[in-house]
């Protein structure tokens, strides 16, 4: 009788169970192939230097493994690396390729580690590079918004609360406000990067191994800040790391969503403060005149998706016991999609900001209703000696007296820090440049460590 079991590297498994448990790993793990090779290179290098007899890896054997890993990295970069159903995941696929090329030597690379710490380090290597790139892209959007702010800093714009006219503002305040919001989101990305930049490799299944491995050396080889101290916690940190990342991405997407909503509203014919670039809008299949802000609407929707990914990751973790559990497999797609959506949204919004047209005449025309000047007039009366509440009532009862006030004059009077005439663009420019420089320096440090480890650019 023919068996229904499927032979894999880790034993015979019912085909239906194999298909269910492998999930999307054969596809998603392709993004981790290079990271897996890098982590394996560091692990084997550490084993080759371990003070233990008999020697697990000689220097010559280490070099052989490194060379084979370099070849696999090149295969992955060319799109030729594959993960089979029998492999189940990238870890066993890389081990299979090493064994095909190196024989018994390839079978030794998994010594003193588990797929648990292997996938954890792969994810952290992948997240680290993505986070560095994301911070550069976020700062690029902040710079684009600051350019809009500086060019149009003196154009009055009706400031709104509850979407109703509130007080005179300016395009400079509006655009630089969103730039600063995004730059503050970097603090959250930096916190995610800090918690991510700890090395779990060597924790194995979460309880260590009975050989004198050097976890500090492995962390150094991979340019991590340090290893996780407690190997049990190193295992438990899987999933939490992804959830922290997604929480930071959620805040970035919420900032983008509010910016997108403003652009949608203020480009409507009823406002026309801004005109969106036509090449970034889509048409209608039936209405020839339409240019729709679809990309902005999608960013608004995708903010909800990323928030959902963060909620899903936290919910998966909520009831898990300590140690590794297979539930964690489903946090992989969540964090990968969260990164992809956030980075794509940042790049699309940068295109929009770089080509945004500001209609100064329409911005000024919106000041026809006198009520928007009420607070400024009340404070003028206060400056002349009238108690504020008396000034409040007097202005409220005589709003028509405000007709004809000049918004250009009003916004020029607000010279305090952060006011319409007190915006420090040099400060914000410097912050954006610092974000990019820090991210580039961090990535250069990583690149240098990996170059030395693999002896490859």
């Amino acid at each position: 009788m023919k068996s229904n079991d499927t032979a894999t590297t880790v034993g015979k498994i019912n085909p239906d169970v194999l298909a269910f448990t492998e999930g999307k790993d054969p596809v998603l793990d392709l993004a981790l192939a290079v990271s897996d090779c890098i982590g394996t290179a560091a692990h084997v290098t550490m084993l080759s230097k371990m003070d233990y007899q008999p020697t697990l890896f000689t220097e010559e054997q280490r070099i052989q493994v490194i060379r084979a890993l370099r070849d696999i990295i090149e295969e992955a970069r060319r799109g030729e690396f594959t993960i089979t159903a029998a492999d189940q995941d990238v870890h066993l696929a890389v081990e299979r390729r090493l064994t095909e090329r190196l024989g018994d030597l390839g079978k030794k690379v998994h010594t003193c580690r588990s797929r648990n710490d292997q996938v954890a380090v792969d994810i952290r290597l992948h997240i680290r590079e993505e986070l560095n790139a994301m911070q550069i892209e976020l700062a690029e959007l902040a710079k684009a918004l600051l350019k809009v702010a500086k060019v149009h800093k003196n154009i009055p714009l009706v400031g709104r609360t509850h979407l109703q006219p509130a007080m005179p503002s300016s395009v400079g305040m509006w655009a630089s406000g969103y730039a600063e919001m995004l730059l503050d989101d970097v603090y959250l990305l930096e916190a995610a990067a800090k918690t991510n930049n700890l090395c779990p490799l060597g924790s194995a299944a979460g309880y260590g191994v009975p050989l004198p491995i050097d976890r500090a050396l492995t962390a150094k080889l991979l340019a991590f800040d340090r290893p996780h101290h407690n190997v049990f916690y190193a295992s438990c940190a899987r999933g939490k790391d992804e959830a922290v990342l997604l929480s930071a991405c959620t805040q970035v997407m919420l900032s983008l969503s509010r910016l997108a909503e403003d652009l949608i509203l203020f480009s409507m014919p009823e406002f026309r403060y801004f005109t969106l670039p036509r090449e970034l809008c889509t048409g209608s299949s039936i209405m020839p005149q339409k240019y729709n802000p679809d990309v902005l609407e999608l960013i608004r929707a995708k903010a909800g998706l990323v928030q959902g990914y963060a909620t899903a990751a936290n919910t998966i973790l909520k009831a898990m016991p300590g140690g590794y559990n297979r539930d964690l497999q489903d946090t992989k797609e969540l964090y990968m999609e969260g990164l992809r959506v956030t980075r794509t949204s940042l790049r699309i919004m940068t295109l929009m900001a770089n080509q945004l047209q500001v209609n100064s005449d329409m911005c000024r025309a919106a000041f026809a209703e006198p009520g928007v000047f009420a607070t400024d007039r009340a404070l003028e009366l206060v400056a002349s000696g009238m108690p504020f509440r008396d000034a409040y009532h007097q202005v409220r009862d005589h709003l028509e007296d405000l007709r004809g006030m000049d918004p250009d004059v009003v916004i020029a009077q607000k010279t305090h820090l952060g006011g319409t005439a007190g915006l420090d663009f040099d400060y914000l420019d410097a912050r954006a440049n610092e974000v990019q420089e820090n991210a580039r320096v961090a990535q250069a440090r990583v690149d240098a460590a990996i170059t030395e480890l693999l002896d490859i650019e």
Side-chain angles (χ1 to χ4, degrees):
M1 184 173 182
K2 187 175 180 180
S3 172
N4 289 325
D5 290 341
T6 298
T8 70
T9 303
V10 293
K12 289 187 176 182
I13 304 173
N14 180 285
D16 291 338
V17 172
L18 177 62
F20 183 74
T21 55
E22 76 177 2
K24 295 182 179 180
D25 276 356
V27 175
L28 297 175
D29 277 15
L30 291 173
L32 300 177
V34 173
S35 296
D36 197 77
C37 291
I38 291 170
T40 298
H43 183 67
V44 170
T45 298
M46 181 274 293
L47 292 177
S48 74
K49 298 180 183 301
M50 190 171 67
D51 185 13
Y52 186 78
Q53 296 298 326
T55 302
L56 296 181
F57 282 87
T58 66
E59 178 62 12
E60 182 181 348
Q61 289 174 326
R62 182 193 72 83
I63 292 172
Q64 290 182 59
V65 173
I66 297 294
R67 286 173 178 167
L69 288 169
R70 289 204 305 252
D71 290 341
I72 296 172
I73 287 173
E74 289 306 312
E75 286 180 21
R77 287 174 173 167
R78 294 194 302 267
E80 297 171 2
F81 180 79
T82 58
I83 301 172
T84 67
D87 292 328
Q88 300 181 61
D89 53 40
V90 67
H91 322 301
L92 296 180
V94 169
E95 185 176 327
R96 170 177 58 80
R97 290 288 291 113
L98 288 173
T99 303
E100 289 170 354
R101 176 163 177 168
L102 303 175
D104 287 346
L105 182 58
K107 298 177 183 178
K108 294 172 63 176
V109 299
H110 203 59
T111 303
C112 293
R113 70 176 180 179
S114 164
R115 284 188 293 177
N116 298 351
D117 62 336
Q118 198 173 351
V119 67
V121 80
D122 288 1
I123 286 172
R124 285 169 184 265
L125 290 169
H126 182 240
I127 286 176
R128 183 169 63 182
E129 186 166 343
E130 291 280 324
L131 268 176
N132 287 334
M134 185 190 298
Q135 290 181 65
I136 291 172
E137 291 163 347
L138 183 149
E140 202 61 37
L141 172 56
K143 287 182 174 182
L145 289 167
L146 288 171
K147 183 178 179 180
V148 172
K150 285 181 282 189
V151 171
H152 305 289
K153 64 181 179 180
N154 294 323
I155 295 179
L157 185 70
V158 171
R160 296 173 182 274
T161 62
H162 308 275
L163 267 183
Q164 304 302 308
M167 293 179 68
S169 179
S170 67
V171 175
M173 174 176 280
W174 174 85
S176 64
Y178 276 112
E180 186 173 3
M181 184 186 297
L182 287 162
L183 291 172
D184 278 357
D185 289 338
V186 172
Y187 295 138
L188 303 174
L189 296 178
E190 288 174 342
K194 190 171 183 63
T195 59
N196 179 76
N197 207 31
L198 304 175
C199 186
L201 201 54
S203 58
Y207 302 98
V209 295
L211 292 176
I213 59 173
D214 188 345
R215 297 184 58 234
L217 174 60
T218 307
K220 181 180 178 181
L221 292 170
L222 294 171
F224 283 106
D225 290 338
R226 60 175 174 83
H228 285 284
H229 174 70
N230 185 300
V231 293
F232 173 67
Y233 168 58
S235 175
C236 294
R238 168 90 191 278
K240 187 177 179 70
D241 187 46
E242 294 94 297
V244 169
L245 166 72
L246 286 167
S247 295
C249 288
T250 295
Q251 292 303 316
V252 174
M253 289 301 299
L254 291 177
S255 296
L256 294 182
S257 182
R258 296 187 74 176
L259 173 57
E261 177 67 3
D262 275 9
L263 289 171
I264 291 169
L265 287 172
F266 294 156
S267 61
M268 290 171 57
E270 291 80 0
F271 288 95
R272 262 196 305 148
Y273 302 158
F274 306 136
T275 299
L276 305 179
R278 284 193 170 187
E279 59 268 33
L280 299 182
C281 298
T282 60
S284 164
S285 64
I286 188 173
M287 295 172 283
Q289 84 283 6
K290 293 297 293 294
Y291 289 93
N292 301 317
D294 286 23
V295 293
L296 298 173
E297 294 165 353
L298 288 170
I299 287 174
R300 196 172 55 187
K302 290 180 188 301
L305 288 178
V306 175
Q307 186 171 16
Y309 299 152
T311 300
N314 284 314
T315 304
I316 287 171
L317 293 173
K318 174 186 67 66
M320 279 201 310
Y324 174 79
N325 299 271
R326 193 61 177 261
D327 314 47
L328 292 168
Q329 178 178 356
D330 283 340
T331 65
K332 187 184 296 177
E333 184 176 13
L334 297 175
Y335 100 79
M336 287 185 174
E337 273 299 289
L339 282 171
R340 185 191 66 80
V341 168
T342 305
R343 289 189 61 189
T344 302
S345 299
L346 284 167
R347 294 194 294 269
I348 289 293
M349 190 62 86
T350 302
L351 289 175
M352 185 69 71
N354 278 327
Q355 300 178 56
L356 185 67
Q357 177 182 328
V358 176
N359 303 317
S360 59
D361 290 345
M362 296 304 299
C363 290
R364 287 189 170 87
F367 286 88
E369 287 299 316
V372 71
F373 298 108
T375 302
D376 293 89
R377 178 56 183 153
L379 291 173
E380 284 182 1
L381 294 175
V382 168
S384 66
M386 183 180 293
F388 175 77
R389 194 54 62 194
D390 293 341
Y392 176 96
H393 289 295
Q394 178 168 321
V395 171
R396 186 183 62 182
D397 294 340
H398 301 88
L399 290 178
E400 285 302 310
D401 293 348
L402 307 178
R403 198 172 294 280
M405 286 187 69
D406 187 344
D408 291 279
V409 172
V410 173
I411 66 172
Q413 292 172 339
K414 298 176 183 180
T415 57
H416 59 75
L417 178 67
T420 46
L423 297 169
D424 191 342
F425 296 120
D426 290 340
Y427 160 72
L428 295 172
D429 277 330
R431 282 191 60 187
N433 289 330
E434 182 181 24
V435 168
Q436 291 190 319
E437 179 62 18
N438 289 343
R440 289 184 178 121
V441 168
Q443 189 58 46
R445 175 172 170 263
V446 171
D447 291 344
I450 304 309
T451 294
E452 183 176 356
L453 176 64
L454 295 176
D455 192 24
I456 188 175
E457 291 296 331

